[in-house]
Amino acid sequence: MRRLIGHTALLTMLASTTAAQDNGPSYTVFGTPGLLEMPTAESAAPNEIAVTLAYSATGGYRTSFTYQLTDRLSGSFRYGVFDQYGQPTTANPDPENFETFDRSFDVQYRLTNESGYIPAIAVGMRDFLGTGRYSSEYIVASKSIGSDLVVTAGLGWGRMGQKNSFANPLGVVTDYFDDRPVYQDREFSDDPTVGLGGQLSTNQWFRGDAALFFGAEYQYSEKLGFKAEYSSINYPEEVFNPAVDYASPLNFGLSYRYKPGIELGASYMYGTEIGLRGTFILNPTERATASGLDPAPAPVRVRTADQRAAATWDRARQPEAAVRKGLGDLLAIEGIELVGLEITDRTARLRYENTRYRSEAQAMGRAARMMTQVIPPSVQTFIMEPVQAGLPLSQVRLPRDQIESLENTVGASAAIYNAASFGQAGVAAGLESLPDPDPRFRWGVGPYLALTVFDGSGPLNADVGLEAMAEYQVSRNLIVSGRVQQTALGERDALNFFDNENGYVNVRSDQAYYGLSGDPVLTSLYGAYYTRVTPEIYGRVTAGYLEKMYGGVSTELLWAPVASRLALGAEVDYVMLRDQDMGFGFAKYDTLANDERVEDGDYSTVTGHLSAYYDIGRGYQAQVDVGRYLAGDYGATFALDREYENGWKIGGYFTLTDMSSEDFGEGSFDKGIRITIPYDYFLGTPTRNTTSTVLQSLARDGGAKLQVNGRLYETVRSGQLSDLTDTWGRFWR
């Protein structure tokens, strides 16, 4: 689920990392590997994440997120706040500059690796999916001279093709490249050269005049480096251009690696001003803490030859009740709850719930070790059935003799995997199930920090205070949960709530204006029930105040065969928009009907999707959702995530619906980057807790989805064959 501390937690974790890293390339004020403004052909280490915060007096603020997707390919998302030149009119021929918020995306691909006489060469695009204020394409080459000096030269188009430009050399191929058409992605745009983002200006790419840029970086010491560049970016005093105090294309600066993972920078830019930069670098494949801080597992108890030869279980000597009690006590040491147990002379079927380990394979290995301690010696096969939210996820059959013989051998993980068999969890019949736990009440109180980024009113809205959480487990399948928050900021100014003129209610764009009264607010209060309809089909019903903006009923079915990479789901929700005060009431709204305004209605809607989930392999997971969104628009969401073996997950998504780009507004369509970070990555001790954040280019109403905790795919997939396979190396941990 989306954690309240998401965005801030990410930056804090990046800043606090102590993982050993090579220095790698330094970063620009645009947050990409490079010099000061200009890129180089260098690439960060695969999977590296860099968050850059940069500031200069007229260049404004920039926050950038860069991810090295592969060895050669990187992508960046950027949010800037700066002044731009105003639009002169007859009444106001000399307008003042005004502040603007700017979002943009970059991509770079390294074509060649550096070798003895050949430089690294890369091609890239800056601001190719944004407003176009910095829209550029470039090809760049970088070459090391010795171990301390890297020189760079490149050719740029667009914004990078302005300073001392010349005719496009690609014009010798075809005159198509001679001229660069003006960029306008809105019919109602006031400026024909700057759009409102979200449209690919493909008809501009690598067209029009070009310009050269070059520079060098000298690494004076392991920590300190110096940079100088000739920038081909110009800042003419034209309408809607960034209002930069520009006097020179020469920029100078330094970079300082304060500690591994933290790079600080200072620069003298444009011949007029000082700039500052901080870049926080982390690679999710490397640990920030020592691994293996979790307690060592219990040793496997190996049977004697006589015990292995036993054909039957001596029930008088080992009563079943005593076996069950002993196993339950041992599992509890590992944070594993015994749900049910079936024992015959030759097999023992254990159904259990893992409450501690992120990897079900690790929990399974720990449970199997405990079974060797107390399960009668005649039993030859352990049948393991992990459970989450009362749902049996899968069945894994393990030969007991292999567990005994492989514990301390080389290649034990692969060997026990090859000896195991996987399938659907069995039926409850035959299991001696433990009764549902007595209604267990858990609660906690602590501080919270809630951030809303890019909501249209500004780059960031923050709230801080105390949060109380309570959970009541009625049964393994039924949980009642709630959260209440009390802000420390008191009453704040509210927005004029519903102000759309296009027939759509503000179903998501006003989220930053909820809970501003200063009184306690009910963040959520709902009951969630889970069931297994058939061995391959799971169901969920969640009802109540589902999230900060909506209350109602959410229903879901998921078809997820254990051995299939494909899962299919269907969700239907009936929800009502909650009051801004986040109490028990629901909102009134104004909207349009037949061109007339209808007032004082409760906004309710039916939303839902058909979903397909596919495990591509190598940690990549694809998801497609097709259906109806909160504003009544129809369309599809496409997502691709990569999950690392240590639990990190990084991905992106975009949504296209029948809401026009004009109705959607700035950004054209919903898109973003999502990150999930497991706590055990930083703690070094086992826990299933995670923190998540979503970086959206802009929070708008088109493509808006309901936020529901505990959706089925994320609940059950940890026990699917593909996930067990990916994390099976932790079986003996």
Side-chain angles (χ1 to χ4, degrees):
M1 69 178 181
R2 181 179 299 184
R3 306 290 296 184
L4 295 171
I5 61 172
H7 194 60
T8 293
L10 173 63
L11 294 179
T12 302
M13 290 173 176
L14 288 171
S16 64
T17 178
T18 58
Q21 300 178 34
D22 294 331
N23 270 356
S26 61
Y27 284 79
T28 68
V29 296
F30 287 94
T32 59
L35 296 166
L36 295 156
E37 281 194 319
M38 310 311 295
T40 65
E42 299 169 289
S43 298
N47 310 304
E48 188 168 281
I49 299 168
V51 175
T52 297
L53 311 175
Y55 170 77
S56 64
T58 59
Y61 300 90
R62 292 191 185 98
T63 300
S64 306
F65 175 92
T66 296
Y67 176 44
Q68 191 70 35
L69 290 85
T70 69
D71 177 52
R72 296 174 181 266
L73 179 65
S74 66
S76 302
F77 169 63
R78 184 180 309 105
Y79 195 98
V81 182
F82 52 82
D83 286 344
Q84 64 179 22
Y85 294 109
Q87 170 73 64
T89 64
T90 303
N92 185 15
D94 189 22
E96 294 183 357
N97 300 339
F98 64 94
E99 186 177 72
T100 188
F101 306 137
D102 187 68
R103 290 152 290 274
S104 57
F105 291 84
D106 299 358
V107 64
Q108 177 173 300
Y109 184 79
R110 193 180 75 252
L111 299 171
T112 66
N113 295 325
E114 181 179 350
S115 59
Y117 297 99
I118 304 298
I121 301 174
V123 62
M125 291 186 290
R126 177 177 290 173
D127 193 8
F128 75 97
L129 192 64
T131 60
R133 289 180 176 87
Y134 288 97
S135 180
S136 308
E137 305 83 50
Y138 60 88
I139 185 167
V140 61
S142 297
K143 184 72 177 71
S144 299
I145 300 177
S147 59
D148 300 324
L149 179 65
V150 178
V151 295
T152 292
L155 181 65
W157 291 263
R159 178 68 71 181
M160 290 188 191
Q162 292 182 327
K163 187 65 177 179
N164 294 325
S165 61
F166 48 82
N168 192 343
L170 294 177
V172 300
V173 179
T174 170
D175 59 7
Y176 169 82
F177 293 104
D178 288 342
D179 299 310
R180 190 178 184 95
V182 294
Y183 173 46
Q184 183 177 12
D185 71 351
R186 289 290 185 283
E187 294 180 0
F188 55 85
S189 175
D190 294 327
D191 172 44
T193 64
V194 177
L196 296 182
Q199 302 289 329
L200 291 172
S201 56
T202 53
N203 66 337
Q204 286 192 318
W205 292 351
F206 298 96
R207 297 180 66 180
D209 290 348
L212 294 172
F213 61 88
F214 49 86
E217 180 174 7
Y218 176 70
Q219 196 66 33
Y220 175 76
S221 67
E222 182 179 347
K223 291 189 173 183
L224 181 62
F226 296 96
K227 302 181 178 187
E229 71 176 14
Y230 172 89
S231 172
S232 60
I233 298 177
N234 201 359
Y235 294 93
E237 296 183 13
E238 298 175 354
V239 176
F240 295 112
N241 271 351
V244 172
D245 185 9
Y246 180 80
S248 171
L250 298 177
N251 299 321
F252 305 91
L254 57 85
S255 62
Y256 181 73
R257 286 292 172 103
Y258 169 69
K259 60 187 292 189
I262 300 180
E263 179 184 294
L264 305 177
S267 56
Y268 180 66
M269 306 289 291
Y270 321 124
T272 60
E273 64 187 45
I274 300 296
L276 299 174
R277 172 184 60 83
T279 299
F280 306 95
I281 304 164
L282 184 145
N283 195 314
T285 63
E286 301 171 356
R287 271 191 176 272
T289 62
S291 62
L293 298 182
D294 42 324
V300 171
R301 182 178 180 181
V302 180
R303 296 168 296 168
T304 66
D306 290 342
Q307 288 175 325
R308 287 197 300 271
T312 59
W313 162 29
D314 186 348
R315 288 166 173 78
R317 188 173 181 179
Q318 283 186 283
E320 184 171 350
V323 172
R324 186 177 300 107
K325 174 66 167 58
L327 182 57
D329 292 343
L330 290 173
L331 293 175
I333 297 172
E334 297 287 4
I336 299 172
E337 296 181 2
L338 194 157
V339 176
L341 183 64
E342 178 185 18
I343 309 176
T344 68
D345 287 332
R346 310 303 281 176
T347 64
R349 179 162 67 117
L350 171 66
R351 186 167 287 186
Y352 62 94
E353 183 171 356
N354 160 34
T355 66
R356 178 178 298 173
Y357 300 97
R358 174 175 46 80
S359 165
E360 289 290 353
Q362 183 174 4
M364 187 175 296
R366 299 249 170 166
R369 288 171 178 268
M370 292 304 190
M371 291 179 73
T372 66
Q373 305 293 322
V374 296
I375 293 297
S378 67
V379 170
Q380 302 296 323
T381 303
F382 293 165
I383 304 174
M384 319 295 290
E385 294 185 347
V387 169
Q388 289 296 329
L391 301 175
L393 309 182
S394 57
Q395 184 180 98
V396 181
R397 302 175 71 93
L398 300 170
R400 185 174 185 173
D401 61 343
Q402 294 293 297
I403 297 172
E404 294 172 343
S405 63
L406 292 172
E407 179 187 15
N408 297 310
T409 62
V410 176
S413 295
I416 194 66
Y417 178 84
N418 292 331
S421 60
F422 301 84
Q424 297 295 146
V427 298
L431 276 173
E432 185 67 32
S433 299
L434 269 66
D436 284 335
D438 292 334
R440 288 185 296 177
F441 182 72
R442 298 186 300 169
W443 65 279
V445 177
Y448 75 89
L449 174 63
L451 298 177
T452 303
V453 293
F454 315 150
D455 68 346
S457 65
L460 180 68
N461 280 285
D463 183 24
V464 63
L466 284 177
E467 178 184 63
M469 182 277 291
E471 184 176 279
Y472 187 76
Q473 188 171 4
V474 180
S475 68
R476 298 190 189 279
N477 300 76
L478 177 60
I479 298 173
V480 178
S481 178
R483 292 176 183 267
V484 175
Q485 294 177 347
Q486 173 60 60
T487 181
L489 303 182
E491 185 176 0
R492 288 156 288 165
D493 292 335
L495 180 74
N496 182 16
F497 192 44
F498 296 115
D499 56 2
N500 278 338
E501 297 294 334
N502 57 12
Y504 291 102
V505 172
N506 293 18
V507 295
R508 191 59 76 190
S509 56
D510 287 338
Q511 62 179 312
Y513 305 100
Y514 271 64
L516 303 183
S517 66
D519 298 322
V521 298
L522 182 66
T523 306
S524 63
L525 177 62
Y526 60 83
Y529 177 74
Y530 296 84
T531 185
R532 187 164 70 143
V533 182
T534 73
E536 297 179 343
I537 298 177
Y538 303 92
R540 172 187 60 83
V541 178
T542 306
Y545 297 91
L546 305 174
E547 51 147 296
K548 65 185 295 184
M549 292 187 70
Y550 291 94
V553 179
S554 173
T555 62
E556 184 183 9
L557 288 174
L558 178 73
W559 174 79
V562 165
S564 174
R565 292 184 178 271
L566 176 68
L568 301 174
E571 180 178 317
V572 177
D573 314 307
Y574 174 78
V575 294
M576 298 177 65
L577 190 63
R578 297 178 60 188
D579 272 338
Q580 280 183 277
D581 64 10
M582 294 176 64
F584 293 99
F586 291 90
K588 303 296 183 182
Y589 74 103
D590 292 346
T591 189
L592 296 175
N594 300 323
D595 296 326
E596 294 184 3
R597 188 157 295 279
V598 178
E599 298 181 350
D600 296 333
D602 291 330
Y603 181 69
S604 61
T605 188
V606 175
T607 179
H609 297 82
L610 298 176
S611 301
Y613 311 87
Y614 190 76
D615 189 322
I616 299 172
R618 304 181 71 120
Y620 289 95
Q621 299 161 12
Q623 179 177 342
V624 179
D625 303 315
V626 179
R628 189 175 194 263
Y629 295 83
L630 286 169
D633 48 331
Y634 291 86
T637 299
F638 304 87
L640 181 65
D641 297 277
R642 181 177 184 185
E643 184 170 13
Y644 296 92
E645 291 184 4
N646 59 15
W648 272 75
K649 182 188 285 188
I650 303 172
Y653 74 92
F654 67 90
T655 300
L656 302 175
T657 76
D658 59 359
M659 181 183 290
S660 68
S661 57
E662 287 77 13
D663 286 338
F664 183 93
E666 186 175 355
S668 298
F669 61 95
D670 187 39
K671 51 194 171 293
I673 299 166
R674 53 195 191 188
I675 306 169
T676 297
I677 304 171
Y679 283 4
D680 65 0
Y681 175 85
F682 294 95
L683 299 176
T685 55
T687 174
R688 294 179 65 86
N689 293 331
T690 63
T691 183
S692 298
T693 190
V694 176
L695 306 179
Q696 290 178 283
S697 62
L698 194 68
R700 289 286 189 178
D701 300 312
K705 295 182 68 176
L706 184 68
Q707 297 167 6
V708 181
N709 289 331
R711 283 192 165 104
L712 285 171
Y713 185 69
E714 287 303 314
T715 300
V716 306
R717 77 178 188 86
S718 63
Q720 300 292 102
L721 176 58
S722 57
D723 203 77
L724 289 172
T725 301
D726 288 343
T727 64
W728 194 261
R730 304 184 70 87
F731 181 88
W732 294 108
R733 291 286 299 270

